[in-house]
Amino acid sequence: MTSHSADDDQLSAIHNHNIAYLMLARELIIKNKSLAMLQLGMDEPLADLIADMPIEQIVAISRTNRLICALALDETRLLEWRDKTPRHQEIYHAQRTLHMTDNSCSLPGKTHDSDPNQGPNASLIDQMREQTLAIEMIKLGARPSVILQSLNIPYARVARLYREMTGKPLPKGTLPFATDWFLQWRANIHSSVFLNYHRRLESLSMQCSTELLLSSYRHYLNWQEAPPAEALLSMTRAWTLLRFLESHLLQMTRCTRCGRLFVDYANAPQQSFRCGLCAPPSRAGHYKQGKTPHDRAATARIQTAPRGPAQAPQKKG
């Protein structure tokens, strides 16, 4: 009697878990499909199927004696990374993210780039779509030269959009062009996380190159939990990093210890490559932390607080 009751309780728990998982997956897909596909580990057709599934069908599918979802933590190594010291929080965060985004079974798909022959003869819908992408790139901090090379928009329109949205004139100077920046320890971690997001999304969806860049950079900002102005890897540098990979100035090399992909010099030996997470430098983590909004507000209150009358220095007796 007791055993039968325990089996019923277990079966009911499985049913409730399946319903909760499918309802959560459906809500995540409707809210942000690309992020949901990355978090849930599913392709676009399956995501569209779950998003269009009525609640009655979700309840019917959940009535089974097996769990529908599976744990994404399929390696014991990830569960053993438990270093909780403050200087290694970023290392642990990067290790976990690289593990979740890596999928050696999936190959990058071919993205649909914009038609270079569109120009002024493009349809009104295409022009509105590219203008929306330009606005999104400006919000994320992209330089106008990046927008001009990514989209088929006239220079005058980009300049006007930039001035209206930022209230500033077009910035002067050239784009950052140095591969060595992406090989620094902390910059290499952030660049590798961004590229793993980009590689994973490229295998899950069929977005154009600009949309794929925006989606990957949004995931990177969510990972870093920082606004675009405070992100270590700016939108312009992320775009430049992709150009360096296409030009074979940099490459993605798999670490021989953890098996994750990291940014490395092109044509560098891969047999003995150790990433910055498995072999961090001696001063890893000793960098100047950016102020949080709470710290900035406290500093502003101190600077604007009224001061009392100045006291004359006392003479020594």
Side-chain angles (χ1 to χ4, degrees):
M1 184 70 180
T2 306
S3 176
H4 182 70
S5 177
D7 292 340
D8 291 341
D9 293 341
Q10 185 179 10
L11 187 61
S12 177
I14 292 176
H15 293 172
N16 295 333
H17 182 80
N18 289 337
I19 293 176
Y21 173 76
L22 288 176
M23 292 296 295
L24 176 61
R26 183 172 178 266
E27 182 179 354
L28 291 175
I29 294 170
I30 294 175
K31 184 178 181 181
N32 191 335
K33 186 170 70 171
S34 62
L35 178 60
M37 290 191 301
L38 185 63
Q39 292 177 335
L40 301 173
M42 60 179 62
D43 54 7
E44 191 168 5
L46 180 58
D48 294 335
L49 180 63
I50 294 177
D52 299 334
M53 190 178 298
I55 299 179
E56 295 80 6
Q57 189 175 356
I58 291 178
V59 175
I61 293 177
S62 302
R63 292 174 180 173
T64 178
N65 59 350
R66 57 183 298 180
L67 291 173
I68 294 178
C69 66
L71 286 176
L73 306 178
D74 55 354
E75 289 187 7
T76 309
R77 180 181 180 85
L78 183 66
L79 300 176
E80 294 176 350
W81 284 325
R82 299 174 182 174
D83 195 346
K84 299 300 182 182
T85 55
R87 57 171 290 197
H88 289 112
Q89 281 296 326
E90 191 172 15
I91 296 179
Y92 175 78
H93 191 29
Q95 287 173 329
R96 182 176 55 188
T97 304
L98 291 172
H99 176 86
M100 299 296 291
T101 55
D102 183 57
N103 188 357
S104 58
C105 297
S106 62
L107 297 176
K110 183 178 180 181
T111 57
H112 298 280
D113 296 330
S114 301
D115 187 2
N117 298 322
Q118 287 182 356
N121 297 324
S123 65
L124 184 59
I125 296 177
D126 293 334
Q127 293 180 10
M128 293 175 61
R129 171 176 165 272
E130 293 210 340
Q131 185 166 326
T132 303
L133 293 176
I135 293 173
E136 185 67 22
M137 295 179 73
I138 294 174
K139 289 180 180 179
L140 294 177
R143 296 277 291 270
S145 54
V146 173
I147 302 174
L148 291 171
Q149 297 184 50
S150 302
L151 302 172
N152 297 316
I153 299 181
Y155 175 84
R157 185 175 300 178
V158 174
R160 182 177 178 181
L161 285 174
Y162 191 87
R163 285 193 297 267
E164 289 182 359
M165 295 186 61
T166 63
K168 302 176 182 179
L170 296 182
K172 299 180 181 180
T174 59
L175 295 177
F177 191 85
T179 57
D180 293 338
W181 186 89
F182 299 99
L183 276 301
Q184 302 175 25
W185 180 74
R186 190 162 177 251
N188 185 261
I189 294 176
H190 285 241
S191 303
S192 301
V193 169
F194 165 76
L195 281 180
N196 276 272
Y197 274 127
H198 188 275
R199 173 177 172 269
R200 181 62 174 153
L201 290 174
E202 190 178 9
S203 65
L204 291 175
S205 61
M206 297 296 291
Q207 296 176 314
C208 71
S209 58
T210 305
E211 293 174 342
L212 189 60
L213 170 64
L214 291 173
S215 300
S216 306
Y217 193 71
R218 290 193 205 100
H219 292 321
Y220 163 73
L221 292 178
N222 293 334
W223 171 81
Q224 195 183 7
E225 298 179 354
E230 299 179 4
L232 179 64
L233 183 70
S234 64
M235 179 71 175
T236 302
R237 287 196 181 274
W239 178 87
T240 306
L241 176 60
L242 295 177
R243 303 290 82 77
F244 284 162
L245 288 176
E246 293 178 359
S247 304
H248 302 288
L249 297 176
L250 294 173
Q251 67 180 14
M252 295 290 285
T253 304
R254 194 172 294 275
C255 177
T256 56
R257 183 174 179 181
C258 66
R260 307 303 165 209
L261 291 171
F262 289 85
V263 181
D264 193 15
Y265 287 113
N267 302 320
Q270 305 181 15
Q271 292 78 9
S272 59
F273 175 76
R274 297 280 292 276
C275 67
L277 298 179
C278 296
S282 58
R283 293 188 58 82
H286 292 279
Y287 51 86
K288 188 178 294 185
Q289 294 279 0
K291 292 185 177 181
T292 62
H294 177 73
D295 295 336
R296 288 193 294 267
T299 304
R301 287 195 299 267
I302 294 174
Q303 293 176 351
T304 58
R307 298 183 179 179
Q311 298 181 357
Q314 299 179 356
K315 297 182 180 180
K316 295 183 180 180

